[in-house]
């Protein structure tokens, strides 16, 4: 094919592979393509899309001719889309000199992208747009072709060893040129301003990629990373977007909006209401999305940690540092830190309170531990002691202070609302506590907080603070920020650039957060007690479940109370794991926040009072009032999470209680009518018999229901007193409607037929045996009346 023909089918080919932006065309469905289920298609897709495969060779061939392809702005992340539609230039250099108005009759704005950018845009955004792909089998995201390709592209374009491989060139001895700067096609607020603009100067002073051969080494690396970060992390609300904008950019926007009415543009500006709607697009990342972002974070740590040590001579450093080494130095603070922080905040605040949050948690913990991806290996020791965090990471912790402190508080608030009896939730608390309990880490975080809280004797110039802010991204090849030795200023610059100048910092080791930790520790103790109660209850239940116990009535059938728990199904092994996780988590929390033994003992005693002398759970936490007991917020929490519950008992006439699942509805109604007729006809005779004091009276009281002799049951805690109603002696035949009773009788008749005993004889034997049993029981106990049920 000629280049012109390849140029004509390139857009169609990309869309056929990654699917259309509107999701109608699924494409190759790389996110669901697994090597185990479709080995042939899987290997073909990976070979075709490999960095050295046919598709990338086509990209580089078209790149050499400087073709451009339109990408609709309407499919960009919400904040970027709204900014461009308002004709305000985003701060990321990825969009600079690329926005174009459509031709006459066209609709919407487009980005004019080179082939490499166009390919990577589609590849990255397919993770978000292709959400409802048909799946007929279980798919493991980490084994999908898409996940493997992301890992392959990161290793190729962000190598931890060596340099980026040069693209294959169609011209012998010539290199594929990196994209050249283009003149702006649309007037933006950051363009065409007469006053000196920091952002404009930042763009204008970028070195020409064609003039600097060294820059050609990493232009693909920078473009790939910017596209991944923009497509996967650049999602948040309007309020967060406005807070992130630096005051200098806001001033440019104000200048632009004041002058927009006097200037004519090719397309009218979007209304504020439409822009607001675009900013506030609902963004719900999937678990697969989070796993891919975690892969990016882990690789960027390894990429950044592969930076060669700086030489002692500053002059030698300026001559020997390559663009790739400079890129490694700034890759995390300039390109990733801010957007990842906002992304994590969004997930912590909006993710469901279930076990799927584990993916977000592990991504966060991966970012917090760059030392895990350092090239040096930890010293081998015979004892598995926790590895101390080296002092060289103190600067990273200080410059990412909010990642450690504010998100930790966010996790505490989530943990306080989850059911810690669940093994998966207990594991998440354990994981966070274990990471923060690493030796020397808590001290480094405390040191960072102390640096932030130091008073500023001299307030630096505002523009200097902005110059340090990672929001002013662009190409790292622009002039680097001057080295700042004041650690306090670095920490404050980090916090204010992410949260704004009016941010009220909440200390991780302050009194407020410490109280949250104490509440969590108390919940951990309660969850341990609950798990123990469930374990004991399960053991009792299994011990009582014999073959013959299936045919007799259980206490739950006697009064209709519910004593079970939804957590009974988690099993003994899971309960054991829960206890281990919670015990270690409590130990780690004590190490981090220096909780004393006295505090732990007091909490354990409080949790111990949750059980009465019989070892059973008490009522949920309540307070006494003139109308009885009223649930407290803690009591509501205990009920919602299954930590405690009321005993549900039927309080009315036992003959009128709802038909149970183990009863035959037709028989219940029929036997109720029969019992009612007998009770009405023989009421006086039964009253006389039951009033006798001799053996006959005791026997009749055993057979005939008398609620005055029934053991008192606990009423609702809301009502203190309740007037009891004497139903009088009566006959109850409802027990014959139970399926268990019917099956038991059928089996007895069946066994009797083996011994040649007929139905009449068998019935006589059953009645005789029951009469003898009743006579014997009358001598010992007349309060328990099994026939009543």
């Amino acid at each position: 094919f000629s280049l012109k023909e390849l140029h004509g089918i390139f857009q169609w080919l990309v869309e056929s592979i990654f699917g259309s932006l509107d999701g109608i065309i699924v494409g190759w469905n790389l996110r669901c393509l697994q090597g185990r289920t479709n080995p042939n298609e899987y290997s073909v897709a990976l070979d075709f899309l490999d960095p050295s495969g046919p598709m990338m060779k086509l990209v580089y061939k078209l790149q050499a001719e400087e073709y451009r392809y339109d990408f609709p702005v309407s499919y960009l992340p919400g904040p970027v889309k709204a900014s461009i539609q308002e004709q305000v230039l985003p701060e990321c250099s990825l969009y600079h000199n690329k926005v174009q108005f459509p031709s006459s009759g066209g609709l919407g704005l487009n980005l004019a992208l080179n082939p490499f950018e166009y390919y990577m845009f589609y590849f990255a955004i397919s993770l978000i747009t292709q959400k409802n792909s048909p799946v007929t089998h279980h798919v493991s995201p980490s084994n999908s072709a898409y996940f493997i390709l992301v890992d392959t592209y990161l290793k190729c374009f962000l190598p931890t060893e060596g340099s980026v491989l040069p693209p294959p060139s169609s011209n012998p001895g010539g290199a594929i040129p990196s994209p050249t700067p283009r003149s702006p096609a649309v007037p933006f607020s950051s363009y065409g301003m007469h006053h000196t603009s920091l952002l404009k100067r930042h763009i204008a002073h970028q070195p020409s990629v064609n003039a600097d051969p060294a820059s050609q080494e990493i232009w693909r690396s920078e473009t790939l990373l910017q596209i991944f970060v923009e497509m996967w992390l650049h999602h948040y609300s309007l309020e967060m977007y406005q807070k992130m904008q630096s005051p200098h950019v806001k001033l440019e926007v104000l200048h632009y909006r004041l002058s927009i009415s006097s200037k004519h543009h090719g397309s009218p500006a979007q209304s504020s209401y439409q822009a607001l709607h675009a900013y506030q697009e609902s963004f719900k990342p999937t678990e697969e999305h989070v796993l891919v972002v975690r892969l990016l974070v882990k690789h960027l740590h390894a990429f950044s940690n592969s930076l060669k040590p700086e030489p002692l001579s500053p002059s030698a450093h300026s001559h020997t540092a390559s663009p790739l080494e400079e890129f490694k130095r700034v890759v995390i603070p300039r390109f990733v830190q801010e957007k990842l922080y906002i992304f994590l905040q969004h997930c912590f605040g909006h993710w469901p309170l279930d076990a799927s949050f584990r993916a977000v948690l592990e991504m966060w913990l991966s970012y917090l531990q760059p030392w895990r991806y350092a090239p040096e290996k930890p010293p081998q020791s015979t004892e598995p002691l926790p590895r101390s965090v080296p002092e060289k990471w103190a600067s990273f912790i200080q410059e990412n202070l909010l990642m450690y402190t504010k998100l930790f508080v966010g996790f505490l608030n989530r943990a306080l609302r989850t059911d810690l009896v669940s093994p998966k939730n207990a594991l998440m608390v354990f994981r966070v506590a274990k990471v923060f309990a690493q030796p020397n880490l808590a001290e480094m975080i405390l040191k960072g907080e102390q640096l932030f809280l130091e008073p500023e004797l001299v307030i630096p110039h505002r523009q200097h603070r902005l110059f340090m802010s990672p929001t002013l991204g662009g190409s790292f090849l622009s002039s680097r920020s001057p080295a700042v030795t004041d650690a306090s200023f670095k920490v404050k610059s980090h916090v204010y650039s992410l949260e704004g100048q009016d941010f009220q910092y909440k200390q991780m080791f302050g009194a407020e957060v410490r109280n949250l930790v104490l509440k969590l520790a108390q919940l951990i103790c309660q969850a341990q007690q609950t798990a123990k109660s469930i374990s004991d209850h399960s053991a009792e239940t299994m011990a009582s479940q014999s073959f013959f116990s299936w045919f007799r009535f259980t206490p739950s059938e006697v009064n209709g109370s519910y004593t079970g728990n939804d957590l009974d199904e988690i099993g003994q092994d899971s309960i054991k794991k829960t206890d281990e996780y919670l015990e270690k988590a409590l130990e780690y929390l004590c190490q981090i926040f220096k909780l004393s033994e006295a505090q732990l003992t007091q909490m354990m005693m409080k949790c111990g009072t949750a059980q009465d002398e019989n070892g059973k759970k008490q009522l949920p936490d309540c307070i006494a009032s003139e109308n009885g007991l009223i649930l407290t917020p803690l009591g509501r929490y205990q009920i919602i999470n299954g930590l405690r519950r009321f005993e549900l008992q039927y309080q009315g006439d036992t003959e009128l209680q709802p038909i149970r699942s183990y009863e035959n509805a037709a028989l219940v109604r029929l036997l109720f009518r029969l019992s009612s007729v007998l009770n009405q006809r023989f009421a006086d005779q039964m009253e006389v018999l039951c009033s006798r004091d001799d053996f006959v009276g005791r026997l009749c009281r055993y057979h005939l229901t008398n609620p005055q002799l029934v053991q008192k049951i606990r009423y609702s805690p809301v009502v203190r007193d309740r007037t009891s109603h004497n139903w009088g002696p009566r006959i109850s035949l409802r027990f014959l409607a139970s399926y268990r009773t019917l099956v038991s009788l059928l089996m007895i008749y069946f066994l009797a037929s083996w011994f040649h005993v007929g139905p009449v004889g068998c019935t006589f034997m059953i009645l005789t045996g029951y009469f003898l049993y009743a006579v014997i029981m009358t001598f010992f106990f007349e309060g328990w009346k099994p026939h009543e049920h």
Side-chain angles (χ1 to χ4, degrees):
F1 294 96
S2 64
L3 273 178
K4 189 174 182 180
E5 291 175 325
L6 294 174
H7 167 64
I9 66 170
F10 180 69
Q11 290 178 285
W12 168 84
L13 181 59
V14 171
E15 192 171 86
S16 300
I17 296 172
F18 302 120
S20 58
L21 297 175
D22 54 14
I24 296 177
I25 301 176
V26 178
W28 290 4
N29 202 8
L30 297 174
R31 294 167 51 237
C32 298
L33 192 58
Q34 301 269 322
R36 292 183 303 172
T37 56
N38 305 97
N40 295 331
E41 293 87 344
Y42 178 82
S43 59
V44 168
L46 292 184
D47 292 341
F48 186 77
L49 301 178
D50 188 80
S52 58
M55 188 65 190
M56 291 304 295
K57 291 180 180 179
L58 171 61
V59 169
Y60 295 137
K61 186 177 295 187
L62 297 174
Q63 184 83 21
E65 299 300 321
E66 298 189 2
Y67 285 114
R68 292 294 182 269
Y69 303 93
D70 290 339
F71 187 92
V73 170
S74 58
Y75 289 102
L76 293 175
V80 178
K81 176 178 64 177
S83 176
I84 293 177
Q85 289 174 343
E86 279 198 329
Q87 298 186 1
V88 177
L89 181 67
E91 294 178 339
C92 178
S93 64
L94 185 65
Y95 307 105
H96 296 167
N97 305 318
K98 293 185 176 66
V99 183
Q100 290 187 332
F101 278 120
S103 57
S104 58
L107 297 176
L109 295 168
N110 294 307
L111 294 180
L113 305 176
N114 63 51
F116 184 81
E117 293 169 338
Y118 187 81
Y119 173 83
M120 286 301 172
F121 259 82
Y122 262 86
F123 175 76
I125 207 170
S126 64
L127 178 65
I128 301 173
T129 56
Q130 303 291 331
K131 283 188 177 180
N132 299 321
S133 302
V135 179
T136 57
H137 56 275
H138 176 71
V139 176
S140 175
S142 59
N143 294 326
S144 67
Y146 188 88
F147 194 90
I148 300 300
L149 281 172
V150 171
D151 186 47
T152 303
Y153 289 154
L154 289 174
K155 290 178 179 178
C156 176
F157 298 110
L158 300 172
T160 56
E161 297 180 359
S163 59
V164 183
L165 295 177
S169 174
S170 57
N171 301 324
I176 301 295
S178 50
T180 56
R182 306 183 67 203
S183 59
V186 58
F188 278 82
S189 62
S190 294
Y191 295 154
M193 305 296 287
H194 295 289
H195 63 279
T196 303
S197 165
L198 174 64
L199 188 58
K200 179 181 176 182
R201 184 171 64 252
H202 175 78
I203 300 168
H205 288 180
Q206 290 184 19
S208 172
V209 288
N210 288 332
D212 184 6
S215 67
Q216 295 186 12
E217 178 185 348
I218 53 92
W219 71 265
R220 291 171 298 156
S221 304
E222 185 179 354
T223 300
L224 175 86
L225 179 60
Q226 285 184 323
I227 292 174
F228 284 179
V229 170
E230 287 294 311
M231 295 298 106
W232 297 340
L233 300 179
H234 201 163
H235 304 269
Y236 31 77
S237 63
L238 169 66
E239 293 77 16
M240 187 61 65
Y241 181 80
Q242 290 177 338
K243 183 170 67 174
M244 290 173 61
Q245 296 302 301
S246 61
H248 194 85
V249 174
K250 289 182 178 179
L251 182 62
E252 289 186 346
V253 173
L254 177 62
H255 278 293
Y256 167 73
R257 288 178 175 173
L258 291 176
S259 61
I260 191 173
S261 58
S262 60
K263 293 184 179 181
H264 176 73
H265 300 289
S267 176
Q270 188 186 36
S271 67
S272 299
Y273 175 79
Q274 290 174 321
L276 176 67
H277 177 73
Y279 276 113
Q280 293 181 327
E281 283 182 332
S282 61
F283 175 61
K284 300 176 182 178
T286 61
E287 188 173 352
E288 179 187 9
H289 183 173
V290 173
L291 291 175
V292 172
V293 174
R294 186 192 179 204
L295 175 64
L296 173 65
V297 168
K298 292 167 65 175
H299 185 84
L300 288 180
H301 274 320
F303 177 69
S304 180
N305 290 337
S306 65
L307 177 66
K308 298 177 182 177
E310 294 187 9
L312 298 178
S313 172
S315 58
H317 172 269
S318 60
H319 291 292
T320 58
S322 66
L324 186 62
E325 295 296 308
E326 293 289 331
F327 188 45
K328 292 178 180 179
R329 194 184 311 278
V330 300
V331 63
I332 290 180
R334 179 162 295 181
F335 290 94
V336 180
Q337 182 193 66
E338 178 185 46
K339 292 183 175 64
L340 181 63
Y341 172 73
I342 304 301
F343 181 79
L344 283 170
Q345 267 198 320
H346 179 86
C347 292
F348 273 59
H350 296 82
W351 202 276
L353 291 171
D354 57 20
S356 65
F357 186 72
R358 175 76 186 278
V360 179
L361 188 78
E362 294 298 335
M363 175 183 64
W364 173 48
L365 297 180
S366 295
Y367 184 83
L368 298 186
Q369 304 176 86
W371 46 87
R372 289 183 55 193
Y373 311 101
E376 64 269 11
K377 298 295 181 182
Q380 298 294 331
S381 59
T382 56
E383 298 182 2
L385 297 176
R387 183 187 178 190
S388 178
V389 179
E391 284 292 336
K392 72 173 186 176
W393 296 107
S395 60
F396 177 87
I397 295 171
Q398 294 167 8
E399 294 170 8
N400 292 271
L401 185 63
L402 291 178
M403 288 282 195
Y404 291 87
T405 59
K406 187 174 181 181
L407 293 183
F408 179 82
V409 176
F411 175 76
L412 283 181
N413 291 324
R414 287 185 61 93
L416 290 172
R417 292 178 290 158
T418 54
D419 178 16
L420 298 183
V421 182
S422 169
K424 295 180 180 179
N425 292 334
L427 174 59
M428 288 191 283
V429 176
F430 164 75
R431 288 282 298 122
V432 174
K434 182 180 180 181
V435 168
F436 278 84
Q438 293 178 86
N440 206 29
L441 179 58
E443 290 76 7
M444 290 182 179
I445 297 175
L446 180 60
K447 176 62 176 177
E449 289 192 324
Q450 293 172 349
L451 290 172
F452 174 75
L453 296 174
E454 284 184 2
E456 282 187 289
L457 300 179
V458 179
I459 300 178
H461 195 274
R462 195 176 189 89
Q463 184 170 344
H464 291 172
R465 181 183 300 278
L466 294 174
F467 191 70
M468 283 194 58
S469 171
T471 57
L472 295 179
S475 173
F476 81 95
L477 292 173
S478 59
S479 56
R480 292 181 58 194
S481 304
V484 180
T485 57
D486 184 6
S488 176
F489 177 72
K490 282 186 176 181
V491 177
K492 293 177 181 181
S493 175
H494 154 71
V495 173
Y496 291 140
S497 65
L498 293 181
E499 291 290 347
Q501 300 285 344
D502 55 348
F503 175 61
Q504 298 296 324
Y505 183 74
K506 185 183 297 184
Q507 299 181 52
M508 177 175 168
F509 295 96
E512 186 175 353
V513 177
R514 188 179 181 85
N515 289 334
L516 291 178
V517 174
L518 289 174
K519 288 182 180 179
L520 178 61
Q522 186 174 0
L523 284 181
I524 290 175
C525 294
Q526 291 179 355
Q528 286 179 305
Q529 294 288 349
T530 304
K532 185 177 182 300
S533 300
I534 294 174
S535 178
D536 295 341
H537 173 73
S538 301
E540 293 175 3
T541 303
M542 294 182 64
S544 63
Q545 284 181 346
S546 62
F547 176 78
F548 292 101
S549 67
W550 189 83
F551 299 104
R552 61 187 177 93
F553 305 104
T554 60
S556 62
E557 296 177 20
V558 174
N559 53 24
S561 63
Y562 174 79
T563 59
N565 194 302
D566 295 337
L567 300 172
D568 293 345
E569 301 177 358
I570 63 180
Q572 292 293 327
D573 294 338
S574 297
I575 293 176
K576 184 178 179 181
K577 288 182 180 179
T578 298
D579 188 64
E580 293 176 356
Y581 292 146
L582 294 179
E583 184 177 357
K584 294 298 293 183
L586 190 59
E587 177 184 339
Y588 289 138
L589 288 175
C590 293
Q591 294 177 13
I592 299 168
F593 293 92
K594 306 295 189 292
L595 300 181
S596 63
E597 292 292 336
Q599 290 174 312
L600 281 182
T601 304
Q602 184 179 6
M603 283 187 297
M604 294 298 291
M605 290 177 63
K606 287 182 179 179
C607 297
T609 59
Q611 297 195 357
D612 57 19
E613 67 240 4
N614 295 325
K616 302 298 182 182
K617 291 184 293 183
Q618 286 186 334
L619 294 176
D621 191 63
C622 304
I623 57 175
S625 68
E626 58 182 7
N627 295 323
L629 300 178
I630 299 177
L631 277 176
T632 63
L634 176 60
R636 296 189 187 95
Y637 169 84
Q638 291 168 340
I639 292 178
I640 292 173
N641 291 278
L643 300 177
R644 298 186 191 177
R645 64 174 68 249
F646 292 106
E647 292 184 10
L648 304 181
Q649 298 177 345
Y650 182 76
Q651 306 291 336
D653 186 359
T654 54
E655 288 295 295
L656 300 178
Q657 61 181 313
I659 298 175
R660 306 304 176 89
S661 60
Y662 54 81
E663 293 178 321
N664 184 282
L667 281 179
V668 169
R669 297 185 179 98
L670 179 62
L671 293 172
F672 173 74
R673 293 191 185 98
L674 179 59
S675 299
S676 299
V677 171
L678 294 176
N679 290 329
Q680 289 177 2
R681 185 168 183 177
F682 301 104
D684 296 335
Q685 292 87 333
M686 288 188 293
E687 186 70 34
V688 172
L689 289 174
C690 289
S691 61
R692 295 175 58 170
D693 295 331
D694 54 5
F695 178 78
V696 175
R698 295 173 59 189
L699 185 63
C700 290
R701 284 194 295 270
Y702 183 79
H703 281 282
L704 304 175
T705 302
N706 191 339
Q708 290 181 342
L709 299 178
V710 175
Q711 184 179 1
K712 291 184 178 180
I713 57 178
R714 182 183 297 168
Y715 291 102
S716 170
V718 177
V719 181
R720 286 183 173 179
D721 300 321
R722 174 174 294 196
T723 303
S724 61
H725 182 78
N726 185 2
W727 302 104
R730 58 183 177 177
I731 297 173
S732 177
L733 301 176
R734 181 166 176 167
F735 72 99
L736 293 173
S738 171
Y739 289 119
R740 292 185 178 180
T741 304
L742 296 175
V743 173
S744 301
L745 291 174
L746 287 176
M747 292 189 68
I748 292 174
Y749 282 112
F750 178 74
L751 292 175
S753 66
W754 282 10
F755 297 96
H756 306 286
V757 179
V760 177
C762 184
T763 303
F764 177 76
M765 292 176 59
I766 293 174
L767 293 177
T768 303
Y770 179 76
F771 179 77
L772 293 175
Y773 172 77
V775 169
I776 296 173
M777 293 298 297
T778 302
F779 285 105
F780 299 101
F781 180 69
E782 62 174 299
W784 184 54
K785 301 178 175 55
H787 66 283
E788 176 190 351
H789 314 288

